[in-house]
Amino acid sequence: MEPYGGESSVPSVFADVSLAQFRESTNYYVISHSASQSYEFHTSASWLTNEGEALFAMATNVGSVVLIKLAPMGIQGIVTQHELRQATVMQRLWTGLVPAVMRRGQETIDTTLSLVMNPVGQDFFVFCVCRDHKLRMWSCKNQTCLASIELLEFLPDGAELSEAPAVGHKIRQAGGSDPRNLIIGVYLGFPDRNQFLVLQPTLEDGQWRLLHIASIEGGKESTLIDFGLTMTHLWAAWSTSSGETVAKFKAYEGGGPGSEGWSPVFLSSSHSSDDLLVPPFLEPREAYMDHIFQPGKFSLHSIGRALNLYHGQSGGEGIGSLSDMSQISMDALKEETMAIIGNDIQQKVGGSEMTQEEYHNLLQQSWSKFYACCVQYHEVANKAVGVMLDQATGMVVIVKKSLLSVLRPCDAVEHLYLSPIGSCVAEDFANVPFVTDETSLCNDLIALSDCIKIVRGKLSPIIQLSFENDLFQLVRPEEVAHQIASDLLGLGADTDTPSRDAQGTVFTAKLSRRLQAIQDMDKTIQTMLAAIDLAEGNPESLMLDEDEPDAQQHLNASGLFTSSSAVDLLATSFTQMSHTRLNLLRDLLILQCAMLRLGQQASISQDISIKIQSELIPDTANLLLAYYMLYYMSGCVTTSVHTNSMESNMRQLAALEITDASSGLGQSLAASQMGGMSPTVIHMFLRGVGGTQVRSQISRGGYLSQDMCEMWTGVLLPAVSKLAQLIWPISANFLFSEFLMCRCQYTQLQECIRLLNPWCEWNAGSRQFLLGHSLLNSGEPHKALSCFLKVANRLAREDFLLNKLLQTEELEGKKLDILYYLKVIRLLEQFSVPDLVISLANTALSVADDDDPNISTLWCKVFKYHLELGHIDEAYRAMTANRDHERRHDCLRQFVVVLCERAQIKQLCQFPYVDLHDEVVSIIESRARTVDLTTHNYYDLLYAFHIYRGNYRKAGGVMYEQAMRLALEVPTLSGLQQQAKCYLAAINALRLVHPNYAWIVKPVPTDTQPSREDMMGASPKRTYDGDELEQHVKRQVTVLELKEIEKEYLLVSARLKLANHEQDSSHVTGISLSADETLALLVQAGLFDTAVTVCKTFKLPLNSVFEGLATKCVKLSSNGPDDLTWKWLSANELGQLNPSRDVGPADIAWRLLRAYLIKYDQEGDHTYYKCVVNRLLSVGFHLPKWLVNTYKKLHAAELLTLYINYDMLEEATYLALEYIDAVMGKGTEYFGLTTPLRATAPSVWLPYNAIDHLSRALRDATNEPLLQKLHLSLQNKLRSYHNQAQQVSEQMTNLALQRYQQGTS
């Protein structure tokens, strides 16, 4: 099989060994030479005992063997050294007399040429084959020679060879410490011949002897490299004169293969030094790179050295030392290779112009040169140096300079095909299952294989490569085979005219003779095809066994073929098996086509021709295509997968509900390395579920119950066969393709499906599904949808689709289709392709039954993705078509929310919502009441919805509710502005309603406490303790009329004016304010017009307004204007006050106050004047003249009282004097009196109480001369008034008496 490189990631047995351990004195020993003892070592053997002691036996050039024993590693012990030598008296004298320097280089006759060491009982024996053709047995325990046996005695003509020089004698052993199981193999090499002796040491009468078992002639034309033996077979590796390595084996006892002579070992062909054949559809760079870096072809070390050589020959510098080569990765080496060769080609081209053909030839020349360098270094590394046999498993390994080549057993089919013509006999297939006891059938198979080999010998490498290229291009193999057969027979492609050349005639005659020897052609070909068919004609039998294996069997097989080396061996064996059978089927197909052309000339009857044409050729072609798929996949390199891609794939499989742990979904895709290369998909499969299944089937098959010595020969071939069966396409098993999907190997999966789709009917639907999944991940969703649609008609016929994907027992056609479409829709949803989801859902709806329960789900999918794409009308139709009320309600909620978020209010309101109107309103209301007003405003949508349908009262209620929520939840200036808009909208809507219906119900917070009925097991009337519950009185409904809403709007509007008027609006943008609070803020800010409006609306007195305005007037008059004076003045209506540049702000303020007093004073109630005067007097401000004059006319007595209250006695005295004068007829018009004190006029009066208080106060002010003077004046004025009042009274009495008298007369 293919060599195994030494670049595995598995650590070496020396991984834990350090330089410090080597330098410890207990772990090494220096051999000292004396003056009389000086020798050179040329061969050695060693053994590690069970106690850990190391034994070394080293042969010297003077005929002795130096035996050294070291203590166990790390333990201080005594090192013993002995020299094993059997010398005569003359040899001792020669050694003692002749100095060692003079003897150096002279080998004695008994010099050991080869030796082995083996435990025998409690002792260790050293077996030496010497120059004198003798075998000497030494005891390590006693340091004595136990036997010296002449080997020539075992040869028939041994006496003639006694003088012949020894040429490369070798000795090997097999067996254990029991002498009965110990076998010694000796190779005797002579100039003209060589011989193998198989001997067994025996102890007879206290003497050791050699029992002769077999003598085997060696090859004369080759040079032995090394050999080894087991208890039954002898294995040897030879080197031919051309330098090629040849391996053979022979059974020396027990019969079996090779018992009649040497049996060849079919070594894989080494790389040819000829140019690589480049397919016409590839350029040289791509073809050479694919071949050179294909796993298992060349080691990175060889490629690196070849690149160094190529670069040096091209005049460049090397890419690095060999030590650096061990650290370079495959990707880096690829880039370096393309860069170096690309630069070399660019230098050769230079600036000259070249035709396309010339440039192609230059590419071919450069890459061919590099390829030759790779082959050169590979041949050096591939040079065989030894043979190693594992006695425990029967494994045979050819050790090479830098590689290991493992020899594996061949099955009967490979033996038939690879053996030379005429070398196969019926006895070789005695135990082969597909060959019966019929000797004639076995002979026919051998004859058929010889015919196949004849065809193979006529196929050049170009024809073989062209055949594989045609298969890759999906050309039917029968067409290619017919053309090749016609060319081999020397016939035209479309004629049977025997116009053959000489070579065609010879080939035809030779082939015809071989074919005529086959007695039953039909049965022979069918038997051959049955032997090659991995399903053995029953594809259903390859289904995986779901039963758990026996625990003990599972434990025994758990570690089988799990190492990196074992995976490489299985993968390479699989590649060789598939390629060998592919070539066999190719040659068999060409042979059958040739048989149709030869007809009677090859004794092919008409019936056989028809059978070949109609049955055998199609069967052969299908098997050939199946094996081509196996061979192609064995060379497919894995693609490294990013963690994100793996996680995405796992989400996709979770959406499909494919969660089989055997597929290794949870395993990380760490790219293992094989010889520095990325592993193939077969390696990955073996490291994953493939290896697990192979081990499981091996344990179930009972292969592990065999003797451990047959492990290699008895288990490897079944393991390779089980692996091939897991990948075999003509099978109900679908594990391999599923594995590629789970591991994100989409390119490899697509190639696999491409090769199978034209001809393989098995799992065709499953392949289409995986192809669609792969195309989705490759960015081709429309192609993927086309693949998914092709699967529906095969759902019930394929295990993967029915049991792994759908996981249902439903077998009814349409319902099964709908389940499948839903699975695909879930997958498509992972890739953001809404248009494809809609298309597939519509397809499913078109084929679904009316009673299918999944129809509502499909309509939901159509609705969802139409809505996502902005297809509003289509989404609405899909929603209304859904017959499931609950799902339709969910869709309606999503419909409303999405359109609102997109601000498509008009479109949302225009739909008719037949039978859905109340649900729409409920959804919008629910969203409006639960969503934050600062993010989404569903109230505007609901308002527009009601307005569009003419329901103005509900629209007004919606706006009022929004205003309420804004007041509670958005205490900001923008929230206040929005409140005002909401109130205006509500007022506007209600004004469109008939006055009798212009009212709304005031919204109240919903009671979120659960009712007793909603609590599981709770009584609605009693507590858990049995006490009666208090019955809560339900809240009464509050009805709001239009005028009440207008009042609330007025407060909000006032607060807005405050917010716009003042820089610091924090005290007006909080929670809602009452009318009184709002009024106070308005007065404080100077917004007196608005304050008056609030007072009028809420029927509040204007006292606070006049007091505030009076205060501001006083401040302006006293302190002058500030920065805000004109701002608050301009906020009030000043048009009628005649403001001008000549009038200051204080005057304007007093004018405003005067205007307010005039405007809002009520006849008979001059409260506002009193309020203003009271405020002015309270701050000690002199009353303006206009105010005093006006107030004198309106209520002089009240003004007098205010003067007295504020202790303004002087002003009060003057006012009292003027008032008395007015009553007496002097200045009556200034006090609003219509007539003075007259007998004929209506009565007038004086505020005697106020005047009395004033008089008393003046009298008491004895320290104030002015006040005393005023008091005197007041008293005098009062006396004058009293006198006049007395006179008027008398006049009135007289007049009354006169009228009485006149009346009586």
Side-chain angles (χ1 to χ4, degrees), residues 904-944:
Q904 295 177 307
I905 307 300
K906 182 178 180 180
Q907 295 88 330
L908 178 61
C909 296
Q910 287 177 347
F911 288 106
Y913 300 107
V914 179
D915 298 330
L916 295 174
H917 181 273
D918 293 340
E919 293 185 19
V920 174
V921 173
S922 176
I923 291 171
I924 301 176
E925 285 182 349
S926 176
R927 297 289 296 181
R929 292 168 180 171
T930 56
V931 175
D932 187 1
L933 290 175
T934 59
T935 56
H936 297 89
N937 193 340
Y938 287 91
Y939 285 105
D940 292 344
L941 168 62
L942 189 57
Y943 172 78

Side-chain angles (χ1 to χ4, degrees), residues 467 525 1128:
F467 191 91
I525 297 178
W1128 69 262

Side-chain angles (χ1 to χ4, degrees), residues 431-492:
N431 299 320
V432 177
F434 71 88
V435 179
T436 62
D437 296 334
E438 300 180 28
T439 306
S440 60
L441 177 59
C442 186
N443 292 330
D444 285 350
L445 285 171
I446 295 173
L448 180 63
S449 69
D450 289 341
C451 295
I452 292 174
K453 296 167 192 174
I454 293 175
V455 173
R456 181 183 64 189
K458 298 294 291 183
L459 300 180
S460 64
I462 296 179
I463 295 177
Q464 298 178 25
L465 177 63
S466 299
F467 191 91
E468 292 187 10
N469 291 338
D470 290 337
L471 295 180
F472 181 78
Q473 298 297 332
L474 304 182
V475 180
R476 284 297 300 177
E478 304 98 308
E479 301 175 5
V480 184
H482 277 295
Q483 180 62 48
I484 295 176
S486 300
D487 294 341
L488 293 179
L489 295 174
L491 300 172

